[in-house]
């Protein structure tokens, strides 16, 4: 399994470079007959792959090009690992090689497998037919010969891979990684032998039949039904079954029948481990799905929260805009109403002045008329008293005096009218100036009201933004805590599962070792019996040699001694021979006892050493698992700390940006306030100056000017 595939249990991402890694592992498996970390627990192997360097070829017998090719495929970083196009340009792939190398290798392996199957067949045949004829000693000797022949054949098969020109393509019958098991070639090659076995099987007992069925599993049903009959022949059902196996698929296996059977049993035994590993992978994938689901849920919750806040901001902005529009319309309506009121008041004021002036003019004319009448009567009285002046002259003087009075009254009337006109114009100008001043005050009041409204709305917006930032901060911290809590819970569950799997693996290894030791103890009597037979054979040979020596000595003594002493010599020689044989028997028994004691001690020591080695290995694997889990936990805690620091930095930076934005908006609002007030005051001052200049041109110098207060609106 490539490192990125192991990490993909958490990250969920990898590409096609994992197949290149698998190619390199396959090359190592073909070269060394088992993949790297084969004898290690699956969990520990995963940690080794993730932590340690890439595996390499252990033996030095391989070529540099093959070593380079394997190292090239097993680059740990996926980005540095080659693609299939790059591998096709490698020297190992492009070098010249025989075109039939793979076919020859397969054929040689098939021949070796066929020879091994024939050996198994011959052993079975001996068990079936020669057990009753040969004694135990002969059988044991033949088994030793067959075992030596089988070991030579196994060594021959093991050397197939190393003797060939392509080491990476070597195939071993002892490999446990093969998954293609076929029995077709065994059926095809063994059909004549099976027929012969069925012909001669009537003489075999039930035990031999059972042993026969162990090696040839594919005919056990027919043998089981016919082992009590006097004669067995290949029936139609057996031939049909053989034909069925032959026609099922034409793939010639390169494994022996015993290896196929053993691998089937091993496959059944490893189902529990595979289920454990698949359950572990399923748990990791489930944990990853839970994390992704929680992240998606938290992301959706955050998106919904931000959308809600955004809608609230937009609603506040719309409401503020509507309020400002209403205020502007209200101010325009008030200004229009005040303008109409001012126009009506001006018109009324003008009418009042005109009415008063008209009344004053009537009073003035009436007084002039009375004064003219009095003057006229006075002149007449003076003229009547003066008798010396002629009448004509008196008339001329009266007429002249009347004209003078009329002229004077006309001038006085014109003067009064001009004064009234001036008073009217002056008071109208004064009233208009007063109205203008009042309008300016209202404009100032309106702009103050508008700016205050804007400031209030902006302050409410800023308070809302601060509240939003705090709620977002609380939500982010709560979501981060939830995510980290789930991650830690899943990691604790994963570590607990890994520890349980490791403990179960340890128990299984201990059970297997105990079973192996038990089988060794069961097998020990057979081995001791064989060694005892060997010592017995040596003892028999020694006895034969001694017997020959004593026979030769007896003949020599009888030849050189007188006949009268023959009886004494024969008795002494027989006693000596008996004593020597007794010594040999004692040595034989002592050798047997020493052999049994040494074998038992050696077996106990070997088993104890295996137990110690297994305990040490399991302890190292457990320590490695604990160290890796501690490292994962520390890395997760460091990641959580980094995430928390990153969140704190992001929150503080966002708050700083918000405060800066608030300050900038307040400064811009204050600047707008100052500029608008300044612009309004300047405009009003220009209007007042223009009005006063116009009044000066009209001759009104004594108009009361109003000083408008210039307030500080900050």
């Amino acid at each position: 399994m490539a490192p990125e595939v192991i990490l993909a249990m958490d990250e969920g991402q990898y590409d096609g470079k994992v197949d290149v890694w698998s190619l390199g592992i396959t090359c190592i498996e073909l070269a060394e007959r088992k993949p790297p970390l084969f004898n290690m627990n699956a969990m520990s192997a995963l940690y080794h792959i993730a932590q340690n360097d890439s595996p390499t070829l252990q033996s030095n017998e391989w070529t540099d090009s093959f070593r380079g090719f394997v190292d090239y495929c097993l680059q740990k970083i996926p980005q540095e690992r080659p693609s299939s196009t790059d591998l096709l340009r490698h020297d190992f792939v492009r070098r010249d090689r025989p075109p039939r190398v793979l076919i020859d290798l397969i054929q040689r392996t098939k021949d070796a497998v066929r020879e091994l199957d024939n050996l198994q067949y011959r052993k079975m045949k001996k068990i079936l037919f020669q057990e009753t004829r040969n004694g135990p000693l002969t059988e044991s000797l033949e088994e030793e010969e067959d075992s030596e022949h089988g070991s030579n054949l196994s060594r021959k098969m093991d050397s197939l891979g190393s003797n060939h020109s392509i080491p990476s393509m070597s195939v071993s019958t002892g490999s446990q990684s093969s998954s293609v098991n076929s029995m077709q070639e065994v059926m095809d090659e063994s059909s004549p032998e099976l027929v012969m076995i069925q012909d001669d099987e009537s003489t075999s007992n039930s035990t031999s039949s059972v042993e026969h069925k162990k090696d040839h599993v594919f005919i056990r049903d027919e043998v089981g039904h016919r082992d009590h009959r006097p004669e067995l022949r290949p029936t139609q059902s057996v031939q049909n079954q053989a034909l069925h196996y032959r026609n099922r698929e034409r793939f010639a296996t390169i494994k022996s029948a015993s290896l196929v059977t053993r691998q089937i049993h091993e496959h059944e035994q490893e189902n529990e481990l595979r289920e454990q590993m698949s359950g572990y992978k399923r748990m990791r994938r489930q944990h990853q799905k839970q994390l992704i689901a929680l992240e998606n849920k938290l992301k959706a919750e955050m998106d919904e929260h931000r959308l809600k806040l955004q809608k609230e901001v937009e609603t506040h902005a719309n409401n503020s805009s509507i309020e400002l529009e209403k205020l502007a319309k209200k101010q325009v309506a008030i200004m229009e109403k005040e303008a109409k009121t001012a126009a009506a008041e001006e018109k009324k004021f003008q009418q009042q002045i005109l009415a008063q002036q008209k009344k004053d003019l009537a009073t003035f004319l009436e007084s002039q008329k009375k004064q003219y009448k009095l003057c006229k009567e006075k002149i007449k009285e003076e003229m009547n008293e003066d008798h010396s002046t002629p009448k004509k002259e008196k008339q001329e003087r009266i007429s002249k005096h009347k004209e003078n009075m009329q002229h004077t009254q006309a001038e006085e009337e014109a003067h009064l009218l001009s004064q009234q006109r001036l008073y009217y114009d002056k008071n109208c100008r004064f009233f208009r100036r007063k109205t203008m001043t009042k309008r300016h005050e209202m404009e100032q009041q309106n702009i103050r009201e508008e700016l205050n409204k804007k400031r209030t709305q902006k302050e409410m917006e800023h308070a809302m933004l601060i509240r939003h930032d705090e709620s977002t901060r609380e939500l982010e911290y709560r979501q981060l805590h939830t995510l980290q809590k789930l991650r830690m819970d899943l990691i604790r569950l994963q570590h607990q599962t890994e520890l349980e799997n490791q403990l179960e693996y340890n128990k299984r290894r201990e059970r297997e070792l105990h079973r192996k030791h038990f089988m060794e103890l069961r097998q020990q009597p057979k081995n001791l019996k064989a060694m005892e037979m060997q010592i017995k054979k040596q003892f028999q040979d020694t006895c034969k040699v001694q017997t020959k020596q004593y026979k030769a000595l007896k003949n020599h003594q009888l030849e050189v001694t007188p006949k009268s002493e023959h009886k004494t010599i024969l008795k002494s020689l027989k006693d000596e021979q008996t004593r020597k044989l007794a010594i040999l028997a004692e040595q034989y028994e002592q050798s047997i006892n020493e052999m049994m004691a040494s074998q038992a001690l050696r077996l106990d020591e070997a088993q104890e050493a295996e137990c110690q080695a297994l305990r040490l290995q399991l302890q190292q694997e457990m320590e490695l698992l604990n160290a890796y889990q501690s490292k994962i936990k520390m890395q997760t805690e460091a990641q959580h700390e980094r995430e928390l620091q990153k969140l704190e930095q992001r929150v503080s930076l966002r708050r700083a940006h918000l405060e800066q934005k608030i300050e900038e908006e307040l400064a811009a609002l204050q600047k707008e306030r100052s500029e608008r007030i300044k612009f309004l005051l300047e405009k009003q001052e220009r209007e007042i100056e223009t009005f006063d200049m116009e009044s000066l041109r009209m001759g009104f110098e004594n108009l009361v000017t109003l000083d408008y207060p210039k307030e500080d609106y900050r």
Side-chain angles (χ1 to χ4, degrees):
M1 188 180 294
E4 61 266 27
V5 178
I6 301 174
L7 298 177
M9 295 182 184
D10 299 326
E11 301 174 359
Q13 294 181 355
Y14 60 89
D15 54 11
K17 295 294 185 66
V18 298
D19 296 329
V20 177
W21 176 279
S22 300
L23 175 61
I25 296 297
T26 304
C27 291
I28 294 180
E29 181 177 355
L30 292 174
E32 298 179 351
R33 304 190 183 103
K34 61 182 179 180
L37 310 178
F38 178 72
N39 295 325
M40 186 175 291
N41 184 21
M43 306 298 173
S44 303
L46 289 180
Y47 303 148
H48 269 281
I49 295 173
Q51 284 185 317
N52 298 341
D53 297 333
S54 301
T56 57
L57 290 169
Q58 301 298 325
S59 178
N60 297 325
E61 62 181 345
W62 309 108
T63 60
D64 294 337
S65 61
F66 181 53
R67 286 180 171 278
F69 181 77
V70 173
D71 295 338
Y72 196 37
C73 293
L74 296 180
Q75 294 291 332
K76 193 167 185 179
I77 302 177
Q79 291 76 13
E80 298 179 359
R81 202 175 300 152
S83 62
S84 57
T85 306
D86 299 332
L87 292 178
L88 290 175
R89 293 195 293 264
H90 196 271
D91 295 338
F92 177 73
V93 179
R94 299 179 61 184
R95 67 189 182 89
D96 296 334
R97 56 185 179 274
R100 291 180 52 85
V101 56
L102 190 59
I103 298 176
D104 295 342
L105 181 61
I106 293 175
Q107 188 61 41
R108 289 171 58 186
T109 308
K110 286 170 60 178
D111 295 339
V113 169
R114 187 181 298 110
E115 186 175 353
L116 183 60
D117 285 341
N118 293 333
L119 173 63
Q120 296 290 341
Y121 164 72
R122 287 194 298 271
K123 288 176 63 177
M124 188 57 60
K125 186 176 179 181
K126 292 177 182 179
I127 292 174
L128 292 175
F129 305 118
Q130 297 181 5
E131 183 178 4
T132 57
R133 303 176 185 176
N134 300 330
L137 182 60
T138 307
E139 182 181 355
S140 63
L141 294 177
E142 291 181 353
E143 287 180 355
E144 291 177 3
E145 294 175 358
D146 291 341
S147 63
E148 292 177 0
H149 181 68
S151 62
N152 295 332
L153 180 59
S154 300
R155 287 194 296 270
K156 178 181 178 182
M157 292 182 65
D158 291 340
S159 64
L160 287 175
S162 60
N163 293 336
H164 207 273
S165 59
I166 302 181
S168 63
M169 296 300 178
S170 62
V171 179
S172 172
T173 59
S175 175
Q176 299 181 0
S177 63
S178 301
S179 60
V180 181
N181 296 326
S182 174
M183 301 171 108
Q184 182 62 39
E185 180 67 19
V186 177
M187 190 68 196
D188 293 342
E189 297 295 336
S190 305
S191 296
E193 288 81 3
L194 291 176
V195 175
M196 182 173 61
I197 290 175
Q198 290 173 346
D199 291 339
D200 299 335
E201 202 176 77
S202 58
T203 59
S204 63
N205 53 23
S206 60
T207 304
S208 300
S209 176
V210 172
E211 293 177 355
H212 174 266
K213 287 186 288 183
K214 289 181 181 178
D215 249 0
H216 299 276
V217 181
F218 44 86
I219 61 169
R220 63 179 181 272
D221 294 336
E222 287 74 10
V223 174
H225 288 297
R226 296 183 175 89
D227 57 357
H228 61 281
R229 298 184 181 180
E231 184 176 4
L232 293 177
R233 294 295 179 183
T235 61
Q236 186 66 28
S237 60
V238 177
Q239 295 178 356
N240 292 338
Q241 186 175 2
L243 183 62
H244 167 71
Y245 280 106
R246 183 182 298 108
N247 296 332
R248 185 176 59 181
E249 56 180 354
R250 300 300 300 175
F251 179 74
T253 182
I254 57 174
K255 296 183 179 180
S256 63
S258 59
L259 179 60
V260 171
T261 307
R262 185 171 70 251
Q263 288 186 347
I264 290 175
H265 291 303
E266 291 175 355
H267 179 74
E268 293 175 354
Q269 293 174 0
E270 292 176 358
N271 280 340
E272 182 180 357
L273 180 60
R274 288 191 178 90
E275 181 63 27
Q276 184 187 91
M277 190 62 188
S278 62
Y280 177 75
K281 292 181 181 178
R282 187 165 54 251
M283 180 194 68
R284 293 284 294 269
R285 287 194 295 268
Q286 186 67 27
H287 290 180
Q288 185 66 21
K289 289 181 180 179
Q290 291 181 9
L291 288 175
I292 293 175
L294 180 60
E295 289 176 356
N296 294 334
K297 179 182 176 181
L298 297 180
K299 183 179 179 181
E301 183 181 359
M302 180 60 69
D303 293 339
E304 183 181 358
H305 174 73
R306 288 177 178 172
L307 182 61
K308 179 181 177 182
L309 299 184
Q310 185 178 0
K311 287 183 178 179
E312 188 175 352
V313 171
E314 292 177 355
T315 303
H316 180 269
N318 295 332
N319 294 336
S320 300
S321 177
I322 292 173
E323 290 178 359
L324 290 177
E325 289 179 359
K326 289 181 179 180
L327 179 62
K329 291 180 180 179
K330 178 183 176 181
Q331 291 178 353
V332 170
I334 292 175
M335 291 296 294
E336 290 178 353
K337 184 179 179 180
E338 289 294 330
K340 291 180 181 179
T341 303
E345 289 180 354
E346 183 180 2
K347 186 176 182 180
K348 184 179 179 181
F349 179 71
Q350 290 175 356
Q351 290 176 356
Q352 288 177 357
I353 293 175
L354 290 175
Q356 184 65 34
Q357 287 181 352
K358 186 177 182 180
K359 185 178 179 181
D360 292 342
L361 181 60
T363 304
F364 179 74
L365 291 176
E366 185 67 25
S367 66
Q368 276 187 345
K369 188 182 287 186
K370 290 180 179 180
Q371 186 179 4
Y372 176 75
K373 188 176 181 181
L374 290 174
C375 288
K376 183 179 178 182
E377 291 178 355
K378 185 178 180 181
I379 290 173
K380 283 183 178 182
E381 290 177 357
E382 289 179 355
M383 288 298 173
N384 290 331
E385 292 177 357
D386 186 9
H387 299 285
S388 62
T389 305
K391 186 177 181 179
K392 184 177 180 181
E393 186 177 353
K394 287 182 179 179
Q395 290 292 333
E396 290 178 357
R397 287 177 64 184
I398 290 172
S399 300
K400 188 176 180 180
H401 186 70
K402 185 188 294 185
E403 289 177 359
N404 289 333
M405 286 186 66
Q406 289 179 350
H407 180 70
T408 302
Q409 287 181 352
E411 288 180 354
E412 289 178 355
E413 183 181 359
H415 183 265
L416 178 62
L417 290 174
S418 64
Q419 288 295 325
Q420 287 182 346
R421 184 66 184 176
L422 182 62
Y423 177 79
Y424 175 78
D425 292 340
K426 185 175 182 180
N427 280 277
C428 287
R429 295 292 293 181
F430 178 77
F431 188 85
R432 289 174 184 171
R433 194 175 191 281
K434 184 179 179 181
T435 303
M436 183 186 298
T437 303
K438 188 176 180 181
R439 178 170 58 83
H440 287 177
E441 290 177 353
M442 289 190 66
E443 288 178 352
Q444 293 176 8
Q445 183 180 357
N446 290 339
I447 195 171
R448 283 197 298 270
E449 185 179 3
E450 180 185 357
L451 293 175
N452 290 336
K453 189 71 174 177
K454 283 188 175 181
R455 184 181 181 87
T456 303
Q457 291 177 350
K458 189 61 69 174
E459 289 176 352
M460 292 177 61
E461 180 184 355
H462 292 166
M464 181 180 62
L465 291 177
I466 292 175
R467 189 176 68 254
H468 289 176
D469 181 72
E470 291 177 353
S471 63
T472 304
R473 173 179 174 275
E474 292 176 358
L475 181 60
E476 288 176 342
Y477 275 100
R478 186 171 66 253
Q479 288 185 352
L480 181 62
H481 176 71
T482 303
L483 182 62
Q484 291 181 351
K485 183 176 180 300
L486 177 62
R487 188 181 292 129
M488 289 302 297
D489 292 342
L490 294 180
I491 287 178
R492 280 194 292 270
L493 179 60
Q494 174 187 335
H495 289 175
Q496 182 180 359
T497 304
E498 291 172 352
L499 287 175
E500 292 176 355
N501 292 342
Q502 182 67 32
L503 293 175
E504 185 176 354
Y505 169 77
N506 294 348
K507 292 180 181 178
R508 186 171 62 85
R509 288 290 302 274
E510 290 175 355
R511 286 197 305 269
E512 291 177 354
L513 184 61
H514 180 70
R515 189 182 302 112
K516 176 185 175 183
H517 290 172
F518 181 72
M519 294 302 295
E520 288 178 352
L521 290 176
R522 290 186 58 185
Q523 186 68 22
Q524 187 180 13
K526 297 182 180 180
N527 298 334
L528 293 177
K529 183 179 180 182
M531 297 182 69
E532 184 179 356
M533 294 299 296
Q534 185 177 2
I535 295 175
K536 184 177 180 181
K537 183 175 181 299
Q538 294 177 357
F539 173 72
Q540 290 176 350
D541 295 339
T542 305
C543 290
K544 291 178 181 179
V545 171
Q546 246 185 19
T547 302
K548 291 180 180 180
Q549 290 177 353
Y550 275 104
K551 188 176 182 180
L553 179 61
K554 182 183 70 173
N555 295 330
H556 177 70
Q557 290 290 340
L558 291 176
E559 291 177 356
V560 298
T561 57
K563 191 174 182 180
S564 60
E565 297 178 0
H566 284 181
K567 188 175 181 180
T568 304
I569 292 174
L570 289 174
K571 184 178 180 180
S572 63
L573 289 176
K574 188 174 182 180
D575 293 340
E576 182 68 18
Q577 183 179 6
T578 302
R579 186 178 63 83
K580 292 290 185 181
L581 288 175
I583 293 174
L584 285 177
E586 184 180 355
Q587 291 179 355
Y588 167 73
E589 293 178 358
Q590 185 178 359
S591 300
I592 294 295
N593 294 333
E594 290 178 356
M595 180 268 297
M596 290 185 176
S598 62
Q599 288 296 324
L601 181 61
R602 190 178 300 115
L603 181 61
D604 293 339
E605 292 178 353
Q607 291 181 352
E608 184 65 26
E610 289 181 354
C611 291
Q612 291 290 342
L614 179 62
R615 282 195 291 268
L616 181 60
Q617 179 185 357
L618 296 179
Q619 182 181 0
Q620 291 177 353
E621 292 183 2
M622 183 63 73
E623 292 176 355
L624 175 64
L625 177 61
N626 293 331
Y628 184 77
Q629 290 182 350
S630 301
K631 181 179 178 181
I632 292 296
K633 187 176 180 181
M634 293 175 59
Q635 290 178 352
T636 306
E637 292 176 352
Q639 178 185 355
H640 289 177
E641 186 67 24
R642 289 194 303 270
E643 290 176 351
L644 183 60
Q645 293 178 359
K646 186 177 180 180
L647 178 59
E648 292 176 352
Q649 183 179 3
R650 186 169 67 250
V651 168
S652 61
L653 185 62
R654 186 176 63 220
R655 186 59 180 266
H657 287 169
L658 179 60
E659 293 177 353
Q660 183 181 0
K661 178 184 176 182
I662 291 174
E663 293 178 359
E664 291 176 354
E665 289 182 352
L666 290 178
L669 185 62
Q670 182 62 33
K671 183 179 179 181
E672 179 187 0
R673 182 186 185 93
S674 301
E675 289 178 353
R676 290 188 64 181
I677 292 177
K678 180 180 178 181
F679 178 76
L680 179 62
L681 293 178
E682 290 177 353
K683 176 184 176 183
Q684 291 177 353
E685 287 178 0
R686 286 194 301 269
E687 288 183 2
I688 293 294
E689 289 177 359
T690 303
F691 188 84
D692 291 342
M693 291 296 294
E694 186 178 354
S695 299
L696 287 175
R697 285 196 302 270
M698 294 174 66
F700 305 128
E701 298 180 358
N702 57 347
L703 291 178
V704 180
T705 59
L706 298 177
D707 295 330
Y708 299 99
K710 299 179 181 180
E711 301 178 7
D712 189 5
Y713 294 98
R714 289 177 295 176

